[in-house]
Amino acid sequence: MMNRTIAYVPSDNDVGVPVVIYRRVVEGLVEGNHWSDPPPHLADDLKSIKKALKGHFYNCQSRRCCYCSIELPNHGASIYLDHVISRRDRPDFMLSLNNLGAACGPCNGSKSAKPVLIEGLDVAGVVNVPMDSGAYILVHPQLDEWADHFELDEFSRIRKTTDKGGKTIEMCGIDKLNAARLSDHFASRDRAEVVKVITKVGSYKQRARKQRAIQLLRDLAYRGSDKARVAVARIEMEVI
């Protein structure tokens, strides 16, 4: 299992921050913007906690983004602490370990503050961070097994195997990563254009427009490898 359920308040040994300091910071961060602009008397402690949490989740998640599973660099600036339920909606969950995960920049930025709870569950009404996987519309970093919701195809694209997996791909912008992995088989000079076309073609409503996009990819594929032409055939099958 890639991730494990983790208690709300860590012990001294969990993340390397004394409980008394952790609790004091939790109690002092009462607004969503305190994550990036904390009260001055908490700034140093929050910085230390963030560093400790990044290391903690980096290790717990086997060095992988909790959403797309790409391997994260061992560098704090490249690891983002994602709030499953956004800190804008629930600042009181800001440092709850049950509401955090280590994510890559693209997944963290795409997911942002999007709603994650199922219809009918009021984010303002829950008392604690929901610990039931069924409460979430996306794959939860700690409550779900990544491999239960995704698989990799022959192009290393992340493909959904459940509706929750599909929703995670949509919310976290993982289609862009999938497009980039397909583009690896095209000529280097064409890859940016290939990513642009692949990420848009599925949204086109008119069949003729889709066919023009596929033809462009087909033309570009002849400057790439044999697998580029196979990739175009697969995309055509998926979108037309």
Side-chain angles (χ1 to χ4, degrees), residues 122-144:
D122 181 12
V123 68
V126 294
V127 177
N128 298 308
V129 176
M131 292 303 294
D132 175 8
S133 168
Y136 298 88
I137 61 174
L138 85 169
V139 173
H140 192 285
Q142 299 176 52
L143 303 179
D144 291 303

Side-chain angles (χ1 to χ4, degrees), residues 29 31-38 46 50 53 81-83 87 94-95 100:
L29 302 183
E31 298 179 9
N33 64 355
H34 280 172
W35 182 255
S36 55
D37 186 23
L46 178 60
K50 285 182 178 180
L53 288 173
L81 289 171
D82 183 77
H83 297 86
R87 61 182 184 271
M94 199 182 310
L95 280 173
L100 289 169

Side-chain angles (χ1 to χ4, degrees), residues 13-239:
N13 294 326
D14 281 336
V15 297
V17 177
V19 170
V20 62
I21 293 178
Y22 203 96
R23 287 187 180 276
R24 181 162 61 87
V25 175
V26 167
E27 292 167 0
L29 302 183
V30 295
E31 298 179 9
N33 64 355
H34 280 172
W35 182 255
S36 55
D37 186 23
H41 69 288
L42 298 177
D44 288 343
D45 285 337
L46 178 60
K47 183 178 179 179
S48 296
I49 288 173
K50 285 182 178 180
K51 181 178 180 180
L53 288 173
K54 286 182 178 183
H56 176 73
F57 285 108
Y58 178 81
N59 292 323
C60 285
Q61 295 172 194
S62 301
R63 304 172 303 282
R64 294 188 175 276
C65 170
C66 60
Y67 297 119
C68 72
S69 196
I70 193 170
E71 189 154 1
L72 297 168
N74 187 14
H75 188 283
S78 301
I79 301 171
Y80 292 78
L81 289 171
D82 183 77
H83 297 86
V84 184
I85 296 174
S86 77
R87 61 182 184 271
R88 180 194 67 187
D89 291 334
R90 291 300 298 262
D92 53 324
F93 294 166
M94 199 182 310
L95 280 173
S96 171
L97 266 69
N98 296 330
N99 191 49
L100 289 169
C104 67
C107 282
N108 177 261
S110 180
K111 175 181 166 289
S112 188
K114 294 171 183 172
V116 298
L117 298 182
I118 59 173
E119 186 177 356
L121 190 57
D122 181 12
V123 68
V126 294
V127 177
N128 298 308
V129 176
M131 292 303 294
D132 175 8
S133 168
Y136 298 88
I137 61 174
L138 85 169
V139 173
H140 192 285
Q142 299 176 52
L143 303 179
D144 291 303
E145 180 73 46
W146 195 90
D148 288 342
H149 300 277
F150 306 99
E151 64 182 8
L152 298 179
D153 68 8
E154 69 269 35
F155 301 101
S156 294
R157 290 185 301 174
I158 299 166
R159 312 297 286 171
K160 69 174 184 178
T161 57
T162 66
D163 290 342
K164 181 179 274 195
K167 193 66 177 177
T168 305
I169 289 173
E170 175 189 335
M171 292 177 69
C172 296
I174 295 173
D175 279 337
K176 293 179 181 177
L177 173 61
N178 286 338
R181 288 177 173 175
L182 282 178
S183 76
D184 288 342
H185 304 290
F186 289 75
S188 178
R189 60 177 172 168
D190 296 327
R191 289 176 187 172
E193 180 70 11
V194 168
V195 170
K196 180 180 177 181
V197 174
I198 291 175
T199 53
K200 289 184 177 182
V201 64
S203 65
Y204 295 155
K205 303 300 182 183
Q206 296 178 337
R207 181 182 177 87
R209 192 177 184 190
K210 290 182 178 181
Q211 290 174 326
R212 287 194 296 271
I214 294 296
Q215 184 58 54
L216 173 58
L217 291 174
R218 191 177 291 117
D219 293 342
L220 295 175
Y222 280 101
R223 294 206 290 253
S225 69
D226 290 343
K227 203 165 183 180
R229 292 184 281 279
V230 176
V232 175
R234 173 62 65 86
I235 295 168
E236 183 175 16
M237 182 175 65
E238 291 171 353
V239 302

